[in-house]
Amino acid sequence: SKQLKSTQVKSYTKTEGNVSTITALHPNLFVTGHENGNIQEWNSISDNYIHTFKDHEQWVTSIAKVDDSHFISGSDDRTFKLWNIISKDCIRTLSGHTEEINAVMYMPTGNTSLTGSDDTNIKVWSLNGFISDVGSGKDTTSHEENVEEVTHTDLERGTTEARAEVSNTGD
């Protein structure tokens, strides 16, 4: 098989420590989550740092775009936050996990979001607050291992499936 040669196109050197997650918000705008709890906003056309969103107390582990004006983030501080890209404000902080949040995902159907955590739960949130826990298909609200990733698939019109990637690295 033929190997593709990769070439570094750009490098951003003004990051605030270790980068744990990167998410595109617009064709020329992206954000990075950091171990110090901050989220940095960048312009990929001008290569400029734009702003630092500060409200998480620990490592930002996951970020997802909601719409052209908002994004969500999850953190080791066990909180889930909704941010306004325009005003640069944290609009809402939601909590309910008992361990670190590893994954966040926005679901456009129903204007809801999912969070997955080391507490083995997946939680469903309205952007106004907590809705429910998602079980493992039984009458339970938790998985056997840490929830590391959540994904969304449209099965057919009006039907949505949420799936969790569960780690097997429990101590």
Side-chain angles (χ1 to χ4, degrees):
S1 76
K2 196 175 191 181
Q3 289 187 348
L4 297 175
K5 184 178 179 183
S6 64
T7 304
Q8 179 179 316
V9 178
K10 295 181 182 182
S11 179
Y12 297 85
T13 58
K14 295 180 182 176
T15 64
E16 295 185 356
N18 294 339
V19 176
S20 57
T21 184
I22 301 173
T23 302
L25 300 179
H26 296 286
N28 63 336
L29 185 69
F30 67 95
V31 289
T32 54
H34 298 269
E35 67 179 328
N36 65 0
N38 291 342
I39 299 168
Q40 287 185 286
E41 180 182 18
W42 302 87
N43 183 308
S44 61
I45 303 298
S46 67
D47 299 335
N48 288 332
Y49 156 82
I50 298 171
H51 179 75
T52 298
F53 297 87
K54 297 180 179 183
D55 206 41
H56 280 294
E57 295 175 9
Q58 295 179 20
W59 200 304
V60 176
T61 54
S62 186
I63 300 171
K65 178 181 177 177
V66 172
D67 57 32
D68 286 342
S69 301
H70 301 91
F71 68 92
I72 54 177
S73 62
S75 170
D76 280 356
D77 65 10
R78 304 173 186 173
T79 64
F80 165 69
K81 295 182 183 284
L82 173 65
W83 301 88
N84 185 304
I85 300 165
I86 309 302
S87 69
K88 312 296 187 207
D89 293 323
C90 176
I91 298 170
R92 186 164 293 112
T93 299
L94 302 167
S95 59
H97 283 289
T98 59
E99 296 293 332
E100 294 85 358
I101 294 176
N102 299 315
V104 299
M105 181 189 71
Y106 176 70
M107 297 176 61
T109 52
N111 198 31
T112 57
S113 296
L114 297 176
T115 54
S117 170
D118 279 355
D119 64 12
T120 70
N121 288 306
I122 298 172
K123 293 190 180 288
V124 181
W125 308 83
S126 127
L127 293 184
N128 294 322
F130 176 68
I131 296 177
S132 68
D133 291 308
V134 175
S136 58
K138 302 177 182 176
D139 292 332
T140 64
T141 58
S142 65
H143 296 272
E144 292 181 16
E145 301 290 339
N146 300 345
V147 178
E148 298 292 334
E149 180 180 356
V150 288
T151 58
H152 168 263
T153 306
D154 286 325
L155 297 176
E156 56 189 63
R157 277 182 264 159
T159 305
T160 304
E161 173 187 48
R163 187 173 65 245
E165 181 69 30
V166 180
S167 76
N168 291 319
T169 59
D171 292 332

